[in-house]
Amino acid sequence: MKSLFLSAVMMSTAMLGTGPASAQSSHPIKNIVLVHGAFVDETSWNGVAEILKAKGYHVTTVKNPLTSLADDVAATNAVLNAQDGPTVLVGHSWGGVVIGEAGNNAKVSALVYVSAFAPDKGESVSALSKSGPATPGVKAIRPDNKGYLTIDPAVFPSAVAGDLPKEIGEHLAAHQMPINHTAFDAPAEVAAWHVKPSWYVLSAKDQLLDPHAQAFFAERIKAKVTTVEGSHSSLASHAKEVAAVIETATGAK
């Protein structure tokens, strides 16, 4: 599929700049792996990836099949295994569940959660979502006749991408990547945040993953927290801030 966030992230990168290429010199970790969430593809990371690449980092995006938790973890581990040294592993939204499992990989030195779930061992997205009031985005999730989930296209732009141009939200809504409902039902088998240093970007205007839930996750995993006044798509609308947090994580000891 063509780049979903391309127009928005190009604007963000152009307006915010990328900084000097020498910025990486004080950071020992050069590898960064980015894991996307449900309903979108790996191009959702384009803006963040371009900023980090311009600073000299080796950045790889994972293409999650979204067929099951195990399949997404396997795809992420395949990318991690191909890295040539210590790696910062980053997950957006559903990708937080994936990095909690794949973060157990020996090459992972730090974890960064961006508007993301951070389940403990035995917890699932479905169970966690029942513990609080449903957001507008969650209320709009619909299954098809094969059990794959998408968000009502009429609700998607405001609930998921409220701080992106309307045409970008509409494009995203029309080109969603469905996720198998069994992925949300699968309990986490590993919670790598127990043993890996963690960072969290909290999106204060998120209408898909409740900001209060994000705050709960961030506190529980003892993450270093950065709050942005963004929607669930803050990885695109606040690409510079998200990239800065990831860069900070490359200095993890």
Side-chain angles (χ1 to χ4, degrees):
M1 184 171 56
K2 298 297 182 182
S3 175
L4 295 180
F5 277 60
L6 186 56
S7 298
V9 298
M10 284 180 68
M11 286 192 301
S12 297
T13 303
M15 290 189 295
L16 297 170
T18 57
S22 61
Q24 188 197 5
S25 59
S26 64
H27 299 295
I29 301 173
K30 67 175 183 178
N31 300 311
I32 298 169
V33 170
L34 306 173
V35 182
H36 67 84
F39 314 120
V40 296
D41 67 10
E42 71 280 7
T43 64
S44 58
W45 282 113
N46 279 358
V48 170
E50 289 306 311
I51 291 170
L52 293 169
K53 287 177 181 178
K55 293 189 174 187
Y57 293 99
H58 175 248
V59 182
T60 311
T61 54
V62 177
K63 186 175 180 62
N64 284 331
L66 301 178
T67 47
S68 70
L69 174 58
D71 289 347
D72 287 359
V73 171
T76 301
N77 270 318
V79 171
L80 289 170
N81 291 336
Q83 304 303 304
D84 63 358
T87 302
V88 172
L89 182 60
V90 188
H92 172 243
S93 190
W94 159 253
V97 184
V98 179
I99 70 170
E101 302 249 327
N104 201 40
N105 191 298
K107 290 189 176 179
V108 175
S109 296
L111 302 169
V112 180
Y113 292 81
V114 181
S115 316
F117 287 94
D120 204 345
K121 183 178 179 179
E123 294 178 344
S124 69
V125 168
S126 295
L128 288 167
S129 296
K130 293 176 181 177
S131 62
T135 60
V138 169
K139 290 178 181 178
I141 294 175
R142 306 283 187 266
D144 65 13
N145 57 9
K146 294 183 179 179
Y148 277 76
L149 306 175
T150 55
I151 296 174
D152 184 340
V155 178
F156 190 109
S158 61
V160 181
D163 56 354
L164 293 177
K166 182 180 179 182
E167 60 270 22
I168 298 296
E170 291 174 346
H171 181 77
L172 290 169
H175 296 83
Q176 293 182 63
M177 302 294 291
I179 185 169
N180 193 322
H181 75 94
T182 61
F184 287 168
D185 296 336
E189 297 182 3
V190 182
W193 49 263
H194 281 291
V195 294
K196 303 289 174 78
S198 300
W199 281 256
Y200 200 106
V201 179
L202 191 159
S203 298
K205 296 182 179 179
D206 199 322
Q207 293 191 53
L208 183 60
L209 180 53
D210 191 327
H212 295 95
Q214 294 181 45
F216 165 77
F217 291 134
E219 181 178 5
R220 183 170 67 168
I221 70 178
K222 297 179 173 60
K224 301 172 184 67
V225 182
T226 296
T227 300
V228 297
E229 294 298 315
S231 71
H232 196 65
S233 298
S234 59
L235 75 170
S237 59
H238 291 266
K240 183 181 179 181
E241 294 97 319
V242 173
V245 173
I246 296 170
E247 187 171 17
T248 299
T250 66
K253 302 293 185 181

